[in-house]
Amino acid sequence: MEVHGTVYYETQRPPEVPAYVKNHGLLPQHELQTLLRKAKLFIGFGFPYEGPAPLEAIANGCIYLQPKFHPPHSSLNHEFFRGKPTSREVSSQHPYAEQYIGRPHVMTVDYNNSQEFDTAIREIMSTKVEPYLPYEYTCEGMLERVHAYIQHQDFCAPEAPFPPANSSSSKLGLSSPGSPGPQFVLLPNSSALTWAPNANTPHAWPPLSCLRLLASQEGQSCVEACQRANLVCEPALFRFINNKDALRGLEVQCEVVEAEVNHLFPAFSVLRRECSLQKDPLLYSCAGHSPKFRRLCPCRDYRRGQVALCRDCL
């Protein structure tokens, strides 16, 4: 295959690319689109993360080849994230393309494994794909998303506390023994819990009907725990599972329950039988994990092609 690039360079300075690369320099958008329509393969070199170029390439009929990161890039091991207040881990250059588009349009391989890389290239050479644009990136998909956000959320009214102030609960948000019925019930043929149909259902966005409560494994983030169940983690639903009812529904044995400030909470330790709730709602986070804790994860379902919305969100 011919290798083309769009590396910017100044006239007095030659581009720092190998001689076998046909470099087009900085192209206007319409010329870049034309070049992409002629290409078969678009290669990611690992940076920048989650840029628009791979999506444009896929929409113009290219196959996108990108590196898988072992271990995932995070603030613990990569300079780009170092010092940033996040526990997020990036598994590839474009995690969205990896998870929600996938083959045949996207191939994610270990660039350090020459055999895996060679196999991917040979597969790409023998594969023909049509241009593909995920529904959520179309004009209609964007308008559908904005409509749902505007119609179902009130940005002028303060968010009501949970549990309600007039309910019988402790200051930690724990249901009293006399409260009527459990808030969570086990889904059939599943280890996930859902909001009980006969429980008092406060107004929420996304709606509580999409909530799937899971406990992660030790050393597993809620992002990963939800993904393994073909769900997504929804931070807006953390406030509904940050209570003793959620722990009771998961049959967690707690010798002590405390509210603490830690971005991993709510979570529990199986060995020590200690359970911890989140004291600061601003620290609710789907990212982050610890070998000491199993996290309580507010997962939700999603619409195919519109990941930002749950199935009951329209």
Side-chain angles (χ1 to χ4, degrees):
M1 289 188 286
E2 291 182 353
V3 182
H4 294 247
T6 55
V7 180
Y8 171 76
Y9 65 96
E10 297 175 348
T11 306
Q12 62 271 26
R13 296 179 60 188
E16 297 179 1
V17 295
Y20 58 81
V21 176
K22 184 177 181 181
N23 187 35
H24 299 263
L26 189 63
L27 291 179
Q29 184 70 8
H30 69 280
E31 293 185 25
L32 174 62
Q33 300 285 345
T34 300
L35 181 62
L36 288 172
R37 283 193 289 272
K38 295 177 181 178
K40 180 175 183 64
L41 171 62
F42 188 83
I43 301 178
F45 288 153
F47 192 84
Y49 302 110
E50 301 171 306
L55 298 173
E56 292 182 349
I58 295 167
N60 281 284
C62 293
I63 294 176
Y64 174 47
L65 180 66
Q66 66 166 342
K68 178 179 285 292
F69 301 143
H70 294 296
H73 290 180
S74 70
S75 59
L76 299 177
N77 62 15
H78 201 271
E79 195 59 37
F80 178 81
F81 294 106
R82 200 177 308 280
K84 294 183 170 120
T86 177
S87 297
R88 187 182 179 217
E89 295 183 330
V90 180
S91 60
S92 61
Q93 183 175 352
H94 207 294
Y96 171 86
E98 176 187 7
Q99 183 178 357
Y100 297 112
I101 299 180
R103 290 173 179 264
H105 303 280
V106 179
M107 295 194 181
T108 307
V109 301
D110 181 2
Y111 280 13
N112 293 316
N113 185 326
S114 57
Q115 183 177 356
E116 183 180 352
F117 188 89
D118 183 71
T119 301
I121 292 293
R122 293 179 184 278
E123 182 179 344
I124 290 168
M125 293 293 289
S126 61
T127 301
K128 180 176 176 56
V129 298
E130 296 297 324
Y132 175 70
L133 182 65
Y135 175 71
E136 51 205 332
Y137 282 94
T138 65
C139 293
E140 182 181 353
M142 182 273 291
L143 291 172
E144 179 183 80
R145 204 159 53 247
V146 172
H147 172 78
Y149 290 160
I150 294 174
Q151 292 297 312
H152 297 288
Q153 296 182 99
D154 186 351
F155 299 101
C156 299
E159 190 173 67
F162 183 81
N166 60 356
S167 68
S168 55
S169 58
S170 74
K171 64 181 179 179
L172 294 184
L174 311 182
S175 298
S176 66
S179 58
Q183 288 180 339
F184 302 96
V185 294
L186 188 67
L187 282 169
N189 304 318
S190 173
S191 59
L193 303 178
T194 189
W195 194 261
N198 59 345
N200 180 33
T201 305
H203 176 74
W205 178 259
L208 284 170
S209 59
C210 72
L211 173 63
R212 302 292 182 265
L213 172 58
L214 292 173
S216 75
Q217 299 300 316
E218 288 93 344
Q220 185 182 54
S221 70
C222 284
V223 172
E224 186 180 358
C226 295
Q227 282 181 354
R228 292 200 173 188
N230 199 28
L231 302 166
V232 294
C233 184
E234 179 52 69
L237 298 178
F238 263 113
R239 67 192 187 102
F240 298 105
I241 69 167
N242 188 45
N243 53 59
K244 198 171 182 179
D245 276 328
L247 294 166
R248 187 184 300 115
L250 292 169
E251 299 183 350
V252 178
Q253 302 298 318
C254 303
E255 293 185 359
V256 60
V257 180
E258 295 182 349
E260 301 180 44
V261 177
N262 189 312
H263 72 287
L264 297 176
F265 296 158
F268 61 93
S269 170
V270 176
L271 292 177
R272 297 194 300 268
R273 293 195 174 187
E274 294 178 358
C275 300
S276 301
L277 301 180
Q278 181 56 256
K279 191 174 183 179
D280 185 351
L282 293 177
L283 290 183
Y284 286 141
S285 172
C286 292
H289 55 79
S290 169
K292 300 178 181 178
F293 295 107
R294 296 185 65 184
R295 303 192 58 192
L296 272 62
C297 301
C299 308
R300 67 162 170 84
D301 56 31
Y302 59 88
R303 303 177 70 86
R304 184 172 178 83
Q306 190 73 285
V307 179
L309 299 180
C310 65
R311 293 172 187 165
D312 292 339
C313 284
L314 292 179

